[in-house]
Amino acid sequence: MHSNQFRIYTSRQKPVELKAERVALHLGSQIIEAATKHNEIYYLFFYKNNFLTAAKAKKLKRHSFIANAFVQGMVFNAPHPFIDELLAHSHPRRVNQFDPFLKKLDKQYTPHEKAFILTFFESFISKKRLFDEIKSIFYSFRRNGQNFLAYKIVRVLMDFTPEHSLVKELSNDWSYRKYAKLYNEASEEILNHDLIFAEKVFYYQRHKQDDARDLVMLLNEQSRWMELAALYGERFIADPSDDNYDSLKQQLDRHMDNEQIMVSLEYLYDQLPRYAPLNQDLLHTYIQQQRIDRVLAVYQKSVTTLVIEDTELLRGMLEQLDLTSRSFSSEELQTLFELTLALNTKTAEHLIHTYTKTLLNLYKPSEIKELLKPYIEYRAVHPVYQKMNAFIRFKDDLDHMQQLGELYYEFKQFDEAIDCFSWDTELNPDDPRPLKWLSKIYQERGMTQESEAYRQLLVNQQRKA
């Protein structure tokens, strides 16, 4: 994932540092809302994924295109891969003045696309100025006798400013009646020849199977994968079927990297935490990236079992896990034990033992025993559970200092082991075993003088015997 922090430039080349807040995908437009550190709001406009311009917000007009985009469009909060993709391919990002912006539109878009794009800016540019520019496109077609092309512009104006007297006049103009009838019927001929109008029809009726299919076809033909992914995501959330999920996942796999896929799956998971294939894919992604905190969070609620590939990845992650790297709650630790038990018994037993060594630096044996208690019937857990029991039974029992010391040594609690064996040497001065253990422990700790001292005590004891 890229950072949500980015920069644009004003028309005077002054840099403005921004942080993306959200993005709306609506009828071919993509609009990123972003804020400065002083909470000034800017909007970045794109059309079919291509950057148009940026504008500083004053007040969004009610029912304007941009206001509708954030209400009726498909909206995603930052961070999101769609924001990353749009920003990655939009250099330089500048606030353009109106006349240079018009020249840019003339160069890059058809007259009908230009007319439609101009309607995006009602909250930033005088509506009269926008209307006059769109009107001039209409008249250029009408002067050339291109009535259908002229009426396509009328349809744009009918959405943009339906109450304007000229628009009312043109929409009822007898010379355009045959086109008006075809538009009102949303005839196949019109849908094939006016793709801006067609997309509106398909989008607002996408709850219908035929319109949803036609919208998918249109987006595919125009290679607009972000809207396709958003549409599939919307459909999957409404109907979490395997077919809908597969369609969405194919889009994500084809166009996103692993980090972006992870963020997209997390968005879906927040809304559908019990959908098994999604759980499995999210777990797989987290395990690949060794995100133990997220693995535990998903697995705790998961309704799936790990596949063989994931158990191998999981084993590698768990073997490298350092329990001191972060603070784990008791619920997370128990989920960690459950995850570990998904591995083969030998590996699980080794890992449970390893984790317990670390946990003894943080918890009392009685607390670890309670953590392990739900899993006592597992072969991998039972031996360690019994040893925690022994810790509890032998504590402060002077008759079992030898056994307690050996348990502390097994779990690398060397200071406690030394205390136990030191007590045992006083309680049983003729027993060579505590001296051997003390010499061994000090040797392992690199304290050669102490180790040699206890070795010499052992030699002297054996000579006396």
Side-chain angles (χ1 to χ4, degrees):
M1 287 290 291
H2 301 132
S3 171
N4 287 313
Q5 304 281 350
F6 64 97
R7 177 181 295 173
I8 64 170
Y9 293 88
T10 67
S11 57
R12 296 181 179 180
Q13 299 302 308
K14 179 182 177 181
V16 181
E17 301 294 336
L18 294 170
K19 181 180 180 182
E21 301 287 342
R22 56 180 180 158
V23 63
L25 312 183
H26 187 56
L27 302 179
S29 74
Q30 299 81 38
I31 306 172
I32 295 176
E33 183 182 82
T36 68
K37 64 180 180 180
H38 301 297
N39 292 321
E40 297 171 312
I41 303 300
Y42 283 78
Y43 291 94
L44 279 72
F45 291 86
F46 302 76
Y47 185 62
K48 297 181 180 178
N49 305 337
N50 294 314
F51 178 70
L52 297 171
T53 188
K56 184 177 180 180
K58 295 179 181 178
K59 183 179 179 181
L60 300 185
K61 293 184 179 179
R62 292 181 62 193
H63 309 301
S64 63
F65 183 93
I66 188 172
N68 289 338
F70 282 96
V71 174
Q72 300 172 355
M74 295 179 283
V75 181
F76 303 89
N77 292 329
H80 197 279
F82 294 162
I83 296 174
D84 293 342
E85 286 297 308
L86 291 168
L87 293 177
H89 300 97
S90 59
H91 297 285
R93 297 183 283 263
R94 291 196 177 97
V95 177
N96 295 308
Q97 293 184 339
F98 190 60
D99 288 336
F101 180 53
L102 289 178
K103 292 179 180 179
K104 178 179 180 179
L105 295 183
D106 286 332
K107 183 177 180 180
Q108 297 182 4
Y109 298 98
T110 68
H112 294 91
E113 288 176 321
K114 174 185 174 182
F116 178 53
I117 289 169
L118 288 173
T119 68
F120 299 176
F121 298 95
E122 178 183 350
S123 293
F124 307 91
I125 299 171
S126 159
K127 191 164 187 174
K128 181 181 184 306
R129 194 172 186 187
L130 294 170
F131 178 80
D132 288 344
E133 189 64 35
I134 299 171
K135 182 177 66 174
S136 70
I137 300 173
F138 163 77
Y139 280 121
S140 68
F141 284 122
R142 194 163 83 165
R143 282 193 300 270
N144 292 329
Q146 297 170 295
N147 284 350
F148 176 61
L149 297 181
Y151 188 72
K152 285 172 69 175
I153 300 297
V154 172
R155 298 304 297 202
V156 173
L157 288 170
M158 286 170 64
D159 285 336
F160 180 51
T161 177
E163 299 303 318
H164 194 284
S165 58
L166 177 61
V167 176
K168 286 184 175 181
E169 177 187 334
L170 292 173
S171 63
N172 294 305
D173 191 313
W174 189 249
S175 61
Y176 298 128
R177 67 189 183 281
K178 66 177 180 178
Y179 304 126
K181 182 175 185 296
L182 291 172
Y183 270 92
N184 292 335
E185 294 172 350
S187 71
E188 185 174 349
E189 180 182 357
I190 291 299
L191 296 177
N192 287 335
H193 288 88
D194 188 344
L195 296 184
I196 293 173
F197 174 77
E199 183 169 350
K200 292 178 183 177
V201 172
F202 299 152
Y203 181 80
Y204 288 118
Q205 297 186 158
R206 65 191 184 282
H207 59 282
K208 298 179 181 179
Q209 185 175 357
D210 289 347
D211 290 286
R213 181 202 61 221
D214 290 338
L215 180 57
V216 167
M217 188 179 302
L218 183 150
L219 295 175
N220 262 319
E221 289 173 352
Q222 297 184 10
S223 301
R224 289 160 56 188
W225 71 265
M226 278 190 283
E227 285 113 317
L228 267 176
L231 185 64
Y232 286 138
E234 179 184 74
R235 185 186 300 176
F236 169 64
I237 291 169
D239 176 19
S241 67
D242 289 350
D243 286 344
N244 286 341
Y245 182 65
D246 289 343
S247 297
L248 170 62
K249 193 63 168 51
Q250 286 174 17
Q251 285 294 318
L252 302 184
D253 290 341
R254 188 176 301 133
H255 298 286
M256 293 184 180
D257 61 31
N258 288 338
E259 184 78 10
Q260 292 173 325
I261 291 173
M262 181 189 75
V263 174
S264 299
L265 295 180
E266 286 174 334
Y267 172 81
L268 297 169
Y269 178 78
D270 287 342
Q271 299 172 77
L272 294 169
R274 304 296 291 175
Y275 182 70
L278 173 59
N279 284 357
Q280 189 66 62
D281 286 338
L282 197 51
L283 270 176
H284 177 74
T285 302
Y286 287 153
I287 292 170
Q288 277 188 316
Q289 298 185 15
Q290 299 201 5
R291 305 289 288 269
I292 184 62
D293 53 336
R294 300 190 183 186
V295 170
L296 297 176
V298 173
Y299 193 79
Q300 190 174 23
K301 302 175 183 177
S302 180
V303 293
T304 65
T305 56
L306 292 167
V307 297
I308 293 175
E309 177 188 2
D310 286 342
T311 57
E312 286 303 304
L313 289 170
L314 178 66
R315 181 181 60 79
M317 182 185 72
L318 294 180
E319 286 178 343
Q320 297 178 43
L321 177 62
D322 178 7
L323 290 187
T324 63
S325 61
R326 59 175 289 254
S327 178
F328 290 86
S329 68
S330 57
E331 291 80 9
E332 288 178 319
L333 288 172
Q334 288 193 320
T335 305
L336 174 62
F337 295 149
E338 289 181 29
L339 265 176
T340 305
L341 293 170
L343 306 175
N344 65 70
T345 301
K346 184 177 180 181
T347 301
E349 185 173 358
H350 166 72
L351 288 173
I352 294 289
H353 195 281
T354 300
Y355 295 155
T356 303
K357 290 177 187 176
T358 302
L359 292 176
L360 279 169
N361 296 316
L362 306 169
Y363 296 89
K364 298 176 182 177
S366 58
E367 293 172 325
I368 297 174
K369 177 185 172 183
E370 286 303 308
L371 289 173
L372 294 172
K373 191 172 183 179
Y375 318 106
I376 187 174
E377 294 183 2
Y378 286 89
R379 286 174 53 196
V381 172
H382 189 74
V384 176
Y385 181 86
Q386 291 297 91
K387 288 171 182 177
M388 293 304 104
N389 247 339
F391 272 120
I392 298 166
R393 290 200 319 272
F394 297 157
K395 185 181 179 183
D396 301 326
D397 184 347
L398 297 180
D399 292 334
H400 291 89
M401 286 295 103
Q402 174 73 27
Q403 294 94 320
L404 188 58
E406 290 178 11
L407 279 173
Y408 278 127
Y409 174 81
E410 179 182 340
F411 289 95
K412 305 299 182 185
Q413 306 298 301
F414 293 138
D415 288 340
E416 291 81 356
I418 288 172
D419 287 343
C420 290
F421 291 128
S422 296
W423 268 104
D424 205 30
T425 58
E426 294 185 27
L427 295 169
N428 301 288
D430 296 328
D431 190 342
R433 291 178 299 171
L435 295 176
K436 288 181 180 178
W437 278 107
L438 287 166
S439 179
K440 179 178 181 179
I441 293 171
Y442 280 119
Q443 183 66 40
E444 288 190 17
R445 299 186 75 176
M447 302 171 70
T448 54
Q449 287 185 336
E450 290 83 351
S451 176
E452 179 59 27
Y454 279 105
R455 191 190 69 78
Q456 193 59 51
L457 284 174
L458 178 61
V459 170
N460 294 339
Q461 183 189 70
Q462 290 171 340
R463 285 176 181 170
K464 290 178 183 179

